[in-house]
Amino acid sequence: MKDELIELIFQEEAILFGHFVLTSGKESDYYINVKKLITNPKALKLIARLMKSRVEEMGLEFDRIAGPELGAVPIATALALETDKPLIIVRKKKKEHGTGKQIEGEINPGDRILLVEDVTTTGGSVLRAAEILEKQGAEVVAISVVVDREEGAKEKIEEKYTFLPLVSVSELFARRGLVRMEKRE
């Protein structure tokens, strides 16, 4: 299934080359556009099956699935459907209207959460989401991502959580015989 995911990443042209500024603020010569990939139902189903399989292999148990907006929400939704577990959406900031919530979905103190993300670079975004969940009394049992850019997220995340990337950038580049571009600071 992992090989199929890698092929779909290339088929959907989810890797772009050029000059990009990432969410982390870093500059890069390539961009992993998992959002383009997850608009393909076949790819989204495959991602959910792979995440479920990885969690089962690790013997991890969880009560709910959470995803930070925007890119992780379809992934978390697909995984919730695949596992029959409730969904939680973590907003980047509290709503300034309506209920003013930062979290959509129910969290009970002690709930074990599987947190998912589309791409990690430094891990900052997903770690902020984990902190928001923990402030509500939840326990984040693992963080699963579609693609790890291998730029520090693994090390930061593993200080506190189990980290489950489906694919690394090195694996993607190796599949196509590409040389990984120099990282810009």
Side-chain angles (χ1 to χ4, degrees), residues 141-183:
V141 297
I143 294 175
S144 181
V145 302
V146 179
V147 179
D148 177 22
R149 288 180 54 97
E150 300 176 295
E151 294 185 35
K154 178 182 190 291
E155 293 76 13
K156 279 187 182 173
I157 292 168
E158 286 183 342
E159 288 175 10
K160 191 170 180 183
Y161 307 104
T162 298
F163 184 54
L164 304 171
L166 297 182
V167 179
S168 70
V169 146
S170 297
E171 291 172 306
L172 291 176
F173 282 22
R175 178 61 60 93
R176 290 293 191 216
L178 298 170
V179 176
R180 188 165 173 188
M181 304 293 206
E182 287 293 314
K183 294 179 216 169

Side-chain angles (χ1 to χ4, degrees), residues 1-164:
M1 283 195 301
K2 184 176 184 172
D3 288 340
E4 187 179 349
L5 176 61
I6 291 170
E7 286 306 311
L8 280 170
I9 288 170
F10 286 102
Q11 284 175 17
E12 292 297 320
E13 298 176 351
I15 298 180
L16 304 172
F17 294 93
H19 179 259
F20 303 93
V21 177
L22 308 175
T23 303
S24 64
K26 287 187 170 190
E27 294 183 23
S28 178
D29 293 322
Y30 66 94
Y31 180 70
I32 309 290
N33 188 0
V34 174
K35 289 167 195 70
K36 185 170 183 188
L37 179 68
I38 60 177
T39 59
N40 175 329
K42 180 179 178 182
L44 188 55
K45 286 178 189 178
L46 179 61
I47 289 166
R49 285 197 308 267
L50 280 167
M51 284 186 170
K52 178 182 178 189
S53 176
R54 286 290 310 277
V55 169
E56 288 173 348
E57 285 170 17
M58 299 291 294
L60 297 171
E61 296 195 15
F62 57 97
D63 305 304
R64 299 177 189 284
I65 296 164
E69 68 172 331
L70 171 74
V73 173
I75 298 164
T77 303
L79 188 55
L81 291 168
E82 183 73 22
T83 61
D84 204 28
K85 300 282 185 176
L87 172 67
I88 296 168
I89 299 169
V90 182
R91 295 179 185 278
K92 291 176 184 166
K93 57 185 180 179
K94 287 184 179 182
K95 285 177 29 177
E96 294 184 14
H97 59 281
T99 59
K101 290 183 176 182
Q102 190 164 9
I103 295 175
E104 296 298 336
E106 186 178 326
I107 295 182
N108 301 304
D111 277 349
R112 298 165 299 175
I113 307 290
L114 174 61
L115 181 57
V116 302
E117 182 63 292
D118 56 354
V119 179
T120 53
T121 302
T122 63
S125 297
V126 76
L127 288 169
R128 279 189 295 280
E131 185 179 315
I132 291 163
L133 292 165
E134 289 174 339
K135 284 182 180 175
Q136 296 296 311
E139 172 197 349
V140 175
V141 297
I143 294 175
S144 181
V145 302
V146 179
V147 179
D148 177 22
R149 288 180 54 97
E150 300 176 295
E151 294 185 35
K154 178 182 190 291
E155 293 76 13
K156 279 187 182 173
I157 292 168
E158 286 183 342
E159 288 175 10
K160 191 170 180 183
Y161 307 104
T162 298
F163 184 54
L164 304 171

